[in-house]
């Protein structure tokens, strides 16, 4: 019965079609074509309008950047910066208008992506993305079935054991790399940075654009992104599998902080998903690619955490390798010039003429060195004018060649060389200034002026047995929180009143410490609460400090010969007031510590390269049919 009805309906339909005249068909087709043409024209006009607006905004941005550079008045500069930021936001809004939604990059992802520094994942337009995905891979692919079941690639470990990685994992890593690459480029573009061959046009297919790889070969951007994704998967899973092996075949636990971070990230995603009418899995699929649901996200986050934790433990083990005295002595013989130190008075003048005048006026015993340093400090640098009156500021004891170079001394710069006849011929740089300072011929009282540098020898090159030190500190900046966050003012720009307030606060915190347990842990808690330095979360701890690694007054306090464990104090530097706590001396003299770090680093790098080469990754042909290729592009 049902079959007869269907057949009858079919006949009726055919009868109607037969009644449709050729003229009517043509009219219907013309109307459809006209409608499509209007739609296409409208979209094209909209696109042209957007491009014109972007060009206009970019031109305004460039003009404002020039004005900011030329403007002398700070208030006027601030007003121009605000205009610049407003226009940048407008430009960004136009760029993202087709994206539909953005998803903040979770903190846990930041360390997982090679060469990516941004914290925003730029996401494809959901409707277009899903529709395009359904066309490209079919309905099952839209629901993520192949991505969740088919192998993307096989990783073979050092023992020959094979591990399968699903397509969903590939798509997860693809989304992270692609979207961060895009966001990173938009940041560079906003500030007018020309990336040259590394520039990507995200409105065109990646396969239509070329770049160069590490070997200098020309490849498509699609291949470049794919290679990076495969490399990231291999390197992450390599250390994950090693971690499981080291834990008797069981997956290690992640830390409490990592669990908390993951929980907070998922909670944030749920909130965003709900506000847009999605489940969190649906939101992650739309944002990170087909097959990537909440379970995949949790799994990949956990794998990344475990991988990161093990890699840090592995590297720490390699870096802390112990050596014999014979090893150290052999290293010293081979690297004597790098490990020897000198004691000097050193000052950098503003001009070569000033440096010559400095040397001419310098007493034979350098008793007026500080006086001259104050005299030849720039007039507008009031902070250094005052600081240089203290001999500590210009005295460098036990300074190595490499440290001398790091302070930016003109005398430590490489000599100028004549242009080689063979442009491809490589030459090792020479450093006649450093050679003079560290020569065995030097004696106390020798003076050398090179360009703007003035150096007075206090003690010629020698081998020091001074040990490294471990200290904690709490930095109290004279700048307000707002000024610190803005990053446009230095502590040396602070007023006398602000410096006085910072000193008062430092003394108050030190007094609070002295009333308490007077332990390293207690000091560390105060550092976490009060310090404005980047190591506040580590309790203000700096380990294995070497001479002249820190700024002069900080360095002088650390390496005072009378220093003992538990000592406290307050020192002033160009960054603010530092509340100091001396924790302990290191186990090795500085020269041995330097040698140990160098030898361990060299051997560790070789061991790590060997481990990474022992792992192989091979793509699965079927799985590659479901890889993400381009995002935001309609195929």
């Amino acid at each position: 019965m049902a079959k007869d009805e269907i057949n009858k309906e079919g006949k009726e339909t055919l009868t109607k079609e037969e009644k449709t005249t050729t003229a009517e068909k043509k009219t219907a087709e013309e109307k459809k074509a006209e409608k499509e043409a209007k739609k296409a024209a409208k979209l094209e006009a909209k696109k042209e309008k957007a491009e014109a607006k972007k060009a206009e905004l970019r031109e305004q941005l460039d003009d404002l950047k020039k004005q900011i550079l030329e403007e002398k008045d700070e208030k006027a500069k601030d007003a121009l910066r605000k205009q610049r930021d407003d226009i940048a936001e407008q430009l960004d809004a136009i760029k993202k208008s087709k994206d539909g939604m953005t998803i903040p990059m979770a903190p846990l992802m930041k360390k997982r992506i090679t060469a990516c520094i941004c914290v925003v994942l730029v996401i494809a337009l959901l409707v277009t993305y899903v529709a395009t995905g359904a066309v490209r891979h079919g309905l099952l692919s839209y629901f993520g079935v192949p991505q969740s079941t088919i192998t993307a690639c096989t990783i073979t470990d050092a023992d020959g054991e094979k591990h399968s990685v699903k397509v969903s994992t590939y798509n997860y890593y693809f989304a992270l790399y692609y979207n961060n690459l895009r966001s990173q480029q938009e940041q560079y573009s906003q500030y007018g940075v020309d990336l040259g061959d590394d520039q990507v046009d995200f409105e065109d297919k990646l396969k239509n654009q070329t770049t160069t790889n590490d070997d200098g070969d020309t490849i498509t951007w699609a291949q470049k992104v794919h290679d990076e994704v495969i490399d990231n998967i291999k390197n992450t899973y390599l250390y994950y599998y090693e971690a499981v092996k080291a834990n008797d075949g069981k997956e290690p636990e992640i830390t409490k902080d990592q669990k908390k971070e993951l929980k907070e990230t998922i909670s944030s995603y749920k909130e965003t998903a709900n506000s847009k009418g999605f489940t969190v899995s649906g939101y992650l699929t739309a944002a990170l690619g087909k097959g990537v649901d909440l379970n995949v996200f949790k799994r990949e986050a956990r794998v990344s955490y475990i991988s990161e934790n093990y890699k840090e433990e592995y590297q720490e083990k390699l870096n802390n390798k112990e050596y014999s005295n014979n090893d150290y002595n052999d290293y010293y013989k081979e690297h004597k010039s790098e490990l020897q130190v000198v004691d000097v008075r050193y000052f950098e003048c503003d001009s070569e003429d000033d440096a010559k005048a400095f040397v001419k006026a310098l007493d034979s015993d350098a008793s007026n060195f500080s006086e001259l340093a104050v005299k030849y400090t720039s007039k507008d640098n009031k902070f250094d004018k005052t600081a240089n009156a203290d001999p500590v500021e210009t005295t460098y004891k036990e300074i190595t060649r490499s440290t001398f170079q790091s302070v930016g001394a003109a005398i430590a710069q490489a000599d100028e060389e004549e242009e080689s006849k063979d442009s491809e011929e490589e030459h090792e740089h020479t450093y006649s200034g450093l050679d003079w300072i560290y020569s065995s011929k030097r004696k106390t009282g020798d003076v050398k002026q090179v360009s703007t540098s003035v150096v007075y020898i206090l003690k010629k090159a020698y081998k020091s047995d001074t040990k490294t030190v471990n200290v904690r500190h709490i930095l109290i900046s004279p700048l307000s929180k707002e000024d610190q966050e803005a990053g446009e003012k230095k502590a040396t720009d602070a007023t006398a009143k602000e410096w006085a307030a910072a000193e008062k606060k430092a003394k108050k915190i030190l007094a609070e410490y002295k009333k308490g347990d007077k332990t390293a842990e207690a000091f560390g808690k105060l550092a976490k609460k009060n310090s404005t330095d980047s190591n506040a979360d580590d309790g203000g701890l700096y380990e294995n400090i070497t001479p002249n690694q820190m700024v002069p007054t900080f360095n002088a306090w650390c390496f005072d010969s009378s220093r003992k464990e538990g000592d406290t104090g307050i020192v002033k530097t160009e960054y603010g007031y530092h509340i100091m706590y001396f924790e302990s001396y290191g186990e090795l003299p500085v020269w041995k510590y330097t040698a140990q770090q160098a030898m361990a680093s060299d051997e560790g790098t070789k061991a790590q390269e060997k481990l990474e080469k022992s792992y192989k990754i091979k793509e699965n042909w079927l799985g590659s049919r479901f890889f993400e290729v381009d995002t935001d592009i309609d195929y």
Side-chain angles (χ1 to χ4, degrees):
M1 185 72 174
K3 187 176 181 180
D4 291 340
E5 288 176 357
I6 292 171
N7 287 337
K8 286 178 182 178
E9 289 175 1
K11 286 179 180 179
E12 288 174 3
T13 301
L14 288 173
T15 302
K16 288 177 181 179
E17 288 177 355
E18 289 171 349
K19 291 178 181 178
T20 304
T21 64
T22 303
E24 287 173 332
K25 283 182 179 179
K26 188 175 181 180
T27 302
E29 289 173 358
E30 286 176 348
K31 286 181 178 180
K32 184 178 179 181
E34 185 179 349
K35 187 177 180 180
E36 290 296 329
K38 286 181 179 179
K39 184 179 179 181
K42 188 176 180 180
L43 287 172
E44 186 62 29
K46 189 176 180 180
K47 184 177 179 181
E48 288 178 1
K49 186 178 179 180
E51 288 300 321
K53 185 63 177 176
K54 283 197 285 187
E56 179 187 341
L57 290 173
R58 287 194 185 102
E59 189 176 338
Q60 290 180 35
L61 266 180
D62 291 340
D63 185 49
L64 281 168
K65 288 170 186 174
K66 291 177 183 176
Q67 290 183 52
I68 291 169
L69 289 172
E70 294 170 359
E71 183 58 58
K72 303 297 182 184
D73 184 73
E74 282 302 318
K75 287 186 178 180
K77 267 193 175 185
D78 288 339
L80 290 170
R81 289 188 186 107
K82 188 176 186 305
Q83 290 181 47
R84 176 200 63 193
D85 294 342
D86 288 342
I87 291 174
E89 285 180 14
Q90 292 179 49
L91 183 59
D92 198 43
I94 292 174
K95 288 177 181 176
K96 294 181 180 178
S97 61
K98 64 187 180 69
D99 294 328
M101 60 179 169
T102 59
I103 179 170
M105 178 183 174
L108 62 94
M109 301 175 191
K110 290 181 184 177
K111 296 181 181 178
R112 322 289 189 261
I113 306 163
T114 305
C116 292
I117 59 172
C118 309
V119 291
V120 176
L121 290 176
V122 183
I123 307 306
L125 175 64
L126 179 62
V127 177
T128 303
Y129 187 83
V130 172
T132 302
V135 171
R136 282 166 56 195
H137 299 314
L139 190 60
L140 281 177
S141 178
Y142 162 59
F143 286 114
V145 176
Q147 292 84 356
S148 303
T149 56
I150 296 177
T151 298
C153 48
T154 301
I155 297 177
T156 305
D157 65 24
D159 298 325
E161 186 178 349
K162 297 183 182 300
H163 308 269
S164 295
V165 176
K166 303 300 180 186
V167 173
S168 56
T169 295
Y170 179 94
N171 290 347
Y172 172 85
Y173 277 84
F174 177 91
L176 293 187
Y177 187 87
Y178 178 96
N179 288 305
N180 277 273
L181 179 66
R182 178 171 180 166
S183 183
Q184 175 186 336
Q185 183 168 299
E186 286 180 357
Q187 284 190 0
Y188 283 133
S189 176
Q190 180 179 333
Y191 292 102
V193 178
D194 183 7
L195 296 176
D197 290 340
D198 289 330
Q199 187 82 19
V200 186
D201 180 2
F202 289 99
E203 294 182 5
D204 192 9
K205 298 173 185 177
L206 295 178
K207 68 178 183 181
N208 294 339
Q209 305 171 66
T210 59
T211 184
T212 54
N213 60 17
D214 293 338
D215 296 325
D217 300 325
T218 299
I219 58 173
T220 65
W221 262 104
Q223 187 63 48
K224 169 82 170 179
V225 172
H226 171 73
D227 292 345
E228 292 289 348
V229 170
I230 289 293
D231 195 45
N232 287 340
I233 291 172
K234 178 194 168 186
N235 288 336
T236 300
Y237 271 84
L238 180 161
Y239 289 101
Y240 167 76
Y241 293 139
E242 287 295 308
V244 172
K245 281 184 189 179
N247 197 45
D248 298 324
K250 298 176 183 178
E251 191 176 82
E253 287 286 324
I254 59 177
T255 68
K256 289 182 179 179
D257 286 343
Q258 289 169 339
K259 288 178 180 178
K260 180 182 177 183
E261 186 179 51
L262 180 56
K263 185 178 179 180
E264 289 174 350
T265 298
I266 292 172
S267 177
S268 173
Y269 285 174
K270 283 181 178 178
E271 185 178 338
T272 304
N274 291 338
S275 70
K276 297 181 180 297
F278 292 101
T279 62
V280 68
S281 284
Y283 177 63
L284 288 170
T285 298
L288 299 176
K290 290 172 288 300
V292 185
D293 57 15
L294 181 57
N295 288 330
V296 171
F297 179 82
K298 287 180 178 178
R299 181 192 71 211
E300 296 306 329
R302 192 174 64 252
V303 167
S304 293
Y305 275 134
I306 292 169
S307 174
E308 179 186 317
N309 294 343
Y310 182 80
K311 187 175 183 180
E312 287 181 0
E313 291 172 8
Y314 176 71
Q315 289 175 331
E316 186 176 354
K317 182 179 179 181
L318 293 174
N319 291 338
N320 290 327
K321 181 178 178 180
E322 295 181 358
Y323 295 90
S324 68
N325 282 329
N326 286 336
D327 291 328
Y328 286 124
N329 290 331
D330 288 343
Y331 188 89
Y332 184 84
K333 289 176 184 177
E334 293 176 16
H335 301 84
K336 184 177 178 180
S337 64
E338 300 166 26
L339 298 176
Q340 282 194 317
V341 298
V342 295
D343 295 352
V344 300
R345 296 293 299 275
Y346 157 71
F347 183 74
E348 198 73 34
C349 296
D350 288 339
S351 68
E352 188 168 351
D353 287 340
D354 283 353
K356 289 178 179 178
F358 189 113
V359 171
K360 189 175 181 180
L362 185 62
D363 292 339
S364 58
D365 60 356
S367 56
N368 63 338
F369 199 99
S370 295
E371 179 186 333
L372 291 171
V374 172
K375 179 180 178 180
Y376 288 102
T377 299
S378 300
K379 293 180 180 179
D380 57 348
N381 195 333
K382 295 180 181 179
F383 183 88
D384 283 354
K385 274 279 187 185
T386 302
N388 285 333
D390 186 345
V392 164
E393 286 290 330
T394 53
T395 302
Y396 293 78
K397 291 185 176 180
E398 302 187 16
I399 186 169
T400 62
R401 289 175 69 103
S402 60
T403 305
F404 227 130
Q405 287 177 285
S406 69
V407 299
I411 197 171
Q413 302 303 308
D415 300 326
E416 292 185 8
E417 297 177 348
E418 292 184 8
E419 189 174 343
S420 172
K421 294 180 181 178
D422 184 356
S423 59
E424 295 182 359
E425 186 180 348
E426 292 186 3
H427 292 280
E428 285 190 12
H429 291 297
T430 57
Y431 297 84
S432 58
L434 287 174
D435 291 342
W436 181 88
I437 294 171
Y438 290 88
S439 170
S440 59
K441 297 178 181 179
R442 294 285 68 75
K443 59 183 182 296
T444 300
D446 282 354
V447 179
K448 184 77 169 178
Q449 174 264 321
V450 172
S451 185
T452 53
S453 295
V454 176
V455 172
Y456 178 93
I457 302 296
L458 293 171
K459 187 176 180 180
K460 71 177 186 179
Y462 63 100
K463 180 180 179 181
S464 170
D465 287 322
T466 295
K467 291 185 175 182
T468 61
V469 299
N470 306 310
V471 302
R472 293 180 185 268
H473 82 126
I474 302 170
L475 174 60
I476 306 300
S477 173
L479 297 177
S480 66
K481 187 176 181 180
E482 292 74 18
D483 283 339
Q484 290 176 56
E485 290 176 351
E488 295 181 0
K489 285 181 67 177
K490 297 179 180 179
T492 50
D493 297 325
T495 64
K497 186 178 180 180
E498 288 172 324
W499 276 104
E503 183 179 21
K504 184 178 179 181
K505 183 177 180 180
K507 289 179 177 179
K508 184 178 179 181
I509 293 171
L510 181 57
E512 181 182 349
Y513 164 76
K514 290 182 176 179
K515 288 180 181 177
D517 295 337
K518 296 182 183 179
T519 62
E521 291 74 18
F523 191 94
K525 288 180 180 179
L526 287 172
K528 289 182 180 181
K529 181 181 177 182
N530 299 284
S531 184
T532 58
D533 190 33
S534 58
N535 75 341
D537 289 341
D538 297 322
L541 179 63
Y542 280 117
E543 295 182 294
N544 291 310
I545 299 174
T546 58
N548 304 292
Q549 179 183 338
M550 302 299 192
V551 289
T553 49
F554 193 110
N555 176 79
W557 191 92
C558 292
F559 289 96
D560 187 311
S561 60
S562 65
R563 195 63 59 222
K564 59 184 183 297
E565 293 181 14
D567 279 358
T568 58
I570 295 177
V571 297
K572 182 181 180 182
T573 73
E574 62 196 86
Y575 301 104
Y577 282 98
H578 303 256
I579 308 165
M580 308 294 295
Y581 176 88
F582 191 86
E583 186 152 306
S584 62
Y585 285 99
E587 295 180 359
L588 299 173
V590 172
W591 76 266
K592 276 191 176 182
Y593 173 75
T594 304
Q596 187 276 333
Q597 290 287 289
M599 289 189 288
S601 176
D602 184 49
E603 291 180 18
T605 298
K606 290 177 182 176
Q608 202 164 334
E609 287 177 351
K610 183 179 179 180
L611 174 62
E612 292 178 0
K613 283 181 180 178
S614 70
Y615 272 71
K616 308 296 179 185
I617 186 167
K618 184 179 180 181
E619 292 175 40
N620 176 279
W621 180 87
L622 179 60
S624 67
R625 303 305 93 186
F626 299 92
F627 286 176
E628 292 298 323
V629 182
D630 277 333
T631 303
D632 295 355
I633 299 298
D634 191 359
Y635 276 74

